[in-house]
Amino acid sequence: MLNRAIGGAFGYSTDIGGYYDYTTPPTTKPLFLRWAEWAALSPIFRLHGAGRTGTHTPWSFDLQTVHVYNQLSLLHERAAPLILKLWKYADRTGIPPTRPLWLEFPSDPRAAAQGQEWTLGDDVLVAPVVTEGATSRSVYFPRGCWREPQTGLTENGPRSAVVNAPLTQLPFFFRCGTSPFPAK
């Protein structure tokens, strides 16, 4: 995803739920939810699936999945004005809306080592869970103050910290003193 953004494909899609066929196991509820979390603060948030198996949907699982997916959809909608603004900026400058940490913090070698975190513009740090079964994850906080918008928890970087990340929660942070998109 980050390579595609750097290469100019600002509107990549993750195809939430993915494809599966006769050679791969079906998408599980945890994989579906983590995939949706990953996509919520990316440019395009959409469901997809394989032709033989159909589109993967939240209601294919249970009511909790529907609720979490709805919350993630609302998060994406709240971020949409920022994404549009960043996309227009990207068209002029080539700087993508979703930025690997090495692009946003070029003099920080620890930022360069983070392959599963990115910023959405200058002020949103996104750190989705990519490890199966994980309920927490280590997040690298680049220089500055970062605030978790739901709890107000702050972290001052540069440093790494373990943050809670239950199946129903996407770890993301605002630069302190900013509100890049409205609260729910």
Side-chain angles (χ1 to χ4, degrees):
M1 175 240 18
L2 295 174
N3 287 341
R4 290 193 62 171
I6 288 296
F10 310 133
Y12 61 85
S13 173
T14 64
D15 293 339
I16 299 166
Y19 294 92
Y20 67 87
D21 57 24
Y22 302 111
T23 63
T24 58
T27 301
T28 63
K29 173 185 172 174
L31 177 58
F32 180 86
L33 286 175
R34 292 300 191 191
W35 208 322
E37 289 168 2
W38 193 95
L41 293 177
S42 67
I44 296 176
F45 183 78
R46 74 172 189 174
L47 295 171
H48 215 299
R52 290 186 176 151
T53 57
T55 301
H56 306 287
T57 59
W59 50 90
S60 301
F61 299 99
D62 59 20
L63 286 176
Q64 180 190 38
T65 306
V66 171
H67 175 74
V68 173
Y69 189 84
N70 285 343
Q71 294 303 310
L72 292 167
S73 296
L74 292 172
L75 174 62
H76 185 78
E77 285 182 13
R78 290 194 325 268
L82 174 63
I83 292 169
L84 180 59
K85 175 183 166 188
L86 292 169
W87 199 320
K88 289 177 181 177
Y89 180 76
D91 282 342
R92 288 192 322 273
T93 66
I95 304 296
T98 52
R99 303 167 186 173
L101 294 190
W102 59 261
L103 180 63
E104 195 66 21
F105 303 94
S107 62
D108 183 342
R110 291 191 305 174
Q114 306 308 312
Q116 297 296 333
E117 292 182 37
W118 67 87
T119 63
L120 180 60
D122 297 328
D123 297 325
V124 182
L125 175 66
V126 185
V129 174
V130 296
T131 303
E132 185 175 2
T135 57
S136 64
R137 72 156 287 170
S138 178
V139 175
Y140 178 70
F141 294 94
R143 75 178 180 281
C145 176
W146 299 92
R147 176 181 53 84
E148 200 279 326
Q150 283 95 9
T151 66
L153 172 74
T154 61
E155 295 284 348
N156 289 301
R159 68 179 290 247
S160 292
V162 174
V163 300
N164 287 329
L167 181 60
T168 58
Q169 182 179 328
L170 166 66
F172 71 98
F173 304 84
F174 293 163
R175 190 180 297 276
C176 293
T178 68
S179 292
F181 42 89
K184 56 180 171 177

